[in-house]
Amino acid sequence: SARAFLFRPMNIERKFIDLKELKVSEEGAGTIEGYRSVFSEIDEGGDLIVKGFFADSIAEYLDAGFSAHSHEWAFKDAVGFPVEAKEDDHGFFVKSQFHSTADAQDIRKKAKERMDAGKKVGFSFGYSVQDKSYVEAKDYKEQLPLYIKPERLAANLQKAQKFDRIRILKKGEVIEDSIVTAPMNKL
């Protein structure tokens, strides 16, 4: 139920994604679409999300989830809602529709103007983790290839060196997505 989203603030985490292939439309109230997460990549926080992480929560997210700016969760601050969400081999793709209110349209306009000027627009998503594991630094060369595509392994092994261990996120619940200025994963 939507109520479940409201009573778990202590378990909520956030991931910031730079949406290079983001699309903003101006039809009706407007939409924004792009990947909210990329699978099998170590992010700037030392996490790697595997395909299937979002799968069990997509229906609930489409029913009760929301789009915000900067993780403002008050109802009055919601700028939109998801209308399409799916996992594919690349990541978690979401299309959100903006509300027609002036505040939501201001956010849509800012995102569009930044993109038109060649500036980055990022997304973040709020989530809780149901299943995770860890790969310790001593096991990177042996274990990380189980999660990372061969063509991206060298870059990810190099990034992994910044961390004592990598958290593998296997199952979770997505609650919201937010337009933000600082992404956690530049892919």
Side-chain angles (χ1 to χ4, degrees), residues 99-112:
H99 289 295
S100 62
T101 58
D103 60 332
Q105 291 302 302
D106 285 347
I107 298 297
R108 182 194 58 78
K109 185 175 182 179
K110 286 178 184 178
K112 180 89 168 83

Side-chain angles (χ1 to χ4, degrees), residues 33-50:
E33 63 183 76
Y35 285 92
R36 303 309 198 256
S37 177
V38 176
F39 298 139
S40 303
E41 288 286 331
I42 297 170
D43 68 21
E44 298 304 317
D47 289 340
L48 181 148
I49 300 174
V50 300

Side-chain angles (χ1 to χ4, degrees), residues 14-18 20 37-38 40-49 120 123 125 127 140 152 155-156 158-167 169 182-187:
R14 296 178 173 92
K15 287 285 173 212
F16 301 90
I17 309 296
D18 179 15
K20 293 180 180 175
S37 177
V38 176
S40 303
E41 288 286 331
I42 297 170
D43 68 21
E44 298 304 317
D47 289 340
L48 181 148
I49 300 174
K120 293 181 178 183
F123 255 93
F125 59 93
Y127 65 100
Y140 286 171
R152 296 289 305 148
N156 276 274
Q158 183 175 353
K159 183 181 273 187
Q161 300 309 308
K162 298 189 314 187
F163 306 101
D164 294 333
R165 64 183 185 175
I166 301 299
R167 185 171 68 156
L169 300 178
M184 179 73 74
N185 186 334
K186 297 179 190 298
L187 296 177

Side-chain angles (χ1 to χ4, degrees), residues 16-150:
F16 301 90
I17 309 296
D18 179 15
L19 297 178
K20 293 180 180 175
E21 296 182 26
L22 186 68
K23 294 180 187 172
V24 178
S25 85
E26 297 186 36
E27 293 180 28
T31 60
I32 191 165
E33 63 183 76
Y35 285 92
R36 303 309 198 256
S37 177
V38 176
F39 298 139
S40 303
E41 288 286 331
I42 297 170
D43 68 21
E44 298 304 317
D47 289 340
L48 181 148
I49 300 174
V50 300
K51 184 176 180 180
F53 179 82
F54 300 96
D56 294 344
S57 68
I58 290 175
E60 180 70 15
Y61 172 63
L62 286 169
D63 186 45
F66 61 97
S67 298
H69 69 88
S70 307
H71 296 293
E72 293 294 332
W73 282 31
F75 189 80
K76 71 177 184 63
D77 293 321
V79 298
F81 49 91
V83 293
E84 180 183 339
K86 64 182 179 184
E87 284 192 0
D88 62 21
D89 288 339
H90 182 70
F92 180 54
F93 177 88
V94 176
K95 179 178 182 179
S96 295
Q97 180 178 319
F98 286 99
H99 289 295
S100 62
T101 58
D103 60 332
Q105 291 302 302
D106 285 347
I107 298 297
R108 182 194 58 78
K109 185 175 182 179
K110 286 178 184 178
K112 180 89 168 83
E113 287 176 357
R114 285 186 62 79
M115 291 174 56
D116 289 349
K119 304 296 181 190
K120 293 181 178 183
V121 175
F123 255 93
S124 177
F125 59 93
Y127 65 100
S128 63
V129 177
Q130 275 82 49
D131 187 16
K132 66 182 180 275
S133 64
Y134 295 93
V135 176
E136 302 297 328
K138 66 180 179 57
D139 299 321
Y140 286 171
K141 288 182 180 175
E142 179 184 310
Q143 293 294 313
L144 290 179
L146 301 174
Y147 300 102
I148 298 169
K149 296 173 185 164

